[in-house]
Amino acid sequence: MRALLASLLILITAAAAQAEKVVADMSLRDVEINANFDGSDILIYGAIKGAKEDSGLAPLDVIIAISGPTGPVTVRKKDRRFGIWVNTESIEVDRAPSFYAVASTGKLEDTLSYNDDVRFQVSIPRAIYSVGAPAEIEDPASFSEALIRIRKGNNLYQQLDNTVQLFDQTLFSTTIDMPANLVEGTYPTRIFLTREGEVVARLATFIDVRKVGLERWIYDLAHNQPLIYGILSLVIAITAGWLASAFFRYLRF
């Protein structure tokens, strides 16, 4: 009898968790990069459908992760040899996001279990994928750690603990700072609803980052017509050099 009651309780708890869903929106879905672009703050807000404060279940947490376009990255290690700094070792990280921000209602390690972090690749280290390293590399993990440290310093990787506001276990909001040095592309945005570290609901959407104006024209020219782009760059460089030379000759007289 006790086993039956325990089983019923588990089923009721699971059904209550499955009934909860996330609905969300954001203040800006299209980010335009032009000559005056110096970054953008994006407000992400939403609601939890089916949530009940008096359900007797543990409180909910919300995690929001935004990832930029991913690609391989070569990370090099410098050592001092004969009085100068030189590249001594390198590892190619198979896939790393150009931008990554993860915000949560509490500390990330408290709001997301290890297993679900591995499953959904939410934390910054989990978002970086590296298959292996050459046998002669003694400490391959240090290269990924260096990549994270450098990109954190450039505000490209952000772990934003305690920044998602959750009101009455129903409404949530946060603001993500998108820096000026963004890469063009689609930025997948994932919202996770967790209870006691386990993901009970999730939602996926995206932010579109595109160059516009002169930046768009230069980008298209460089990628679609590289010969014309190279000739134009050479002409501009020669013209700028000639104008600078003429200006200094004028100053002498």
Side-chain angles (χ1 to χ4, degrees):
M1 186 66 179
R2 290 182 179 178
L4 179 59
L5 290 175
S7 299
L8 288 174
L9 180 60
I10 292 172
L11 290 173
I12 292 170
T13 302
Q18 290 174 357
E20 292 159 339
K21 293 184 179 180
V22 181
V23 292
D25 203 352
M26 55 189 69
S27 60
L28 191 63
R29 288 189 177 273
D30 297 301
V31 177
E32 297 182 346
I33 301 177
N34 55 31
N36 299 319
F37 182 74
D38 58 354
S40 179
D41 290 334
I42 296 183
L43 172 66
I44 301 175
Y45 56 92
I48 302 169
K49 297 175 66 176
K52 297 179 181 179
E53 284 191 276
D54 58 350
S55 64
L57 299 173
L60 296 166
D61 285 297
V62 178
I63 302 170
I64 299 172
I66 301 178
S67 176
T70 60
V73 180
T74 300
V75 183
R76 294 182 172 86
K77 180 181 180 181
K78 289 182 179 292
D79 280 328
R80 194 175 182 86
R81 301 287 174 84
F82 306 107
I84 59 174
W85 289 97
V86 295
N87 294 326
T88 56
E89 297 176 331
S90 66
I91 284 181
E92 182 170 284
V93 176
D94 299 89
R95 186 179 71 241
S98 57
F99 170 83
Y100 196 81
V102 54
S104 52
T105 47
K107 289 186 177 181
L108 185 61
E109 58 266 28
D110 296 334
T111 57
L112 183 68
S113 68
Y114 173 84
N115 289 338
D116 274 1
D117 188 17
V118 173
R119 179 184 177 189
F120 296 105
Q121 300 177 341
V122 179
S123 65
I124 294 174
R126 294 292 174 188
I128 297 174
Y129 178 73
S130 184
V131 174
E136 63 271 14
I137 302 297
E138 294 183 357
D139 186 14
S142 65
F143 288 80
S144 295
E145 292 168 0
L147 175 63
I148 293 172
R149 184 174 63 254
I150 292 169
R151 291 193 168 177
K152 277 186 174 181
N154 293 327
N155 203 31
L156 289 171
Y157 285 178
Q158 307 171 20
Q159 181 168 326
L160 308 170
D161 294 336
N162 303 296
T163 56
V164 178
Q165 303 297 317
L166 181 59
F167 307 96
D168 298 326
Q169 293 285 289
T170 304
L171 304 176
F172 63 87
S173 68
T174 193
T175 300
I176 304 292
D177 174 26
M178 308 283 280
N181 49 344
L182 292 177
V183 174
E184 184 182 45
T186 299
Y187 285 59
T189 302
R190 298 176 296 162
I191 301 172
F192 298 93
L193 184 64
T194 67
R195 174 178 283 113
E196 296 184 322
E198 304 300 322
V199 174
V200 297
R202 56 196 174 104
L203 175 70
T205 182
F206 67 92
I207 300 169
D208 196 37
V209 177
R210 290 286 179 265
K211 297 178 185 292
V212 296
L214 179 61
E215 285 71 21
R216 175 80 265 168
W217 181 77
I218 294 175
Y219 180 87
D220 288 341
L221 187 66
H223 286 79
N224 300 328
Q225 297 178 317
L227 178 61
I228 297 177
Y229 175 80
I231 294 173
L232 184 60
S233 299
L234 184 61
V235 170
I236 292 174
I238 294 172
T239 303
W242 180 83
L243 289 175
S245 175
F247 176 74
F248 284 113
R249 284 201 306 269
Y250 174 78
L251 289 180
R252 288 199 203 99
F253 296 101

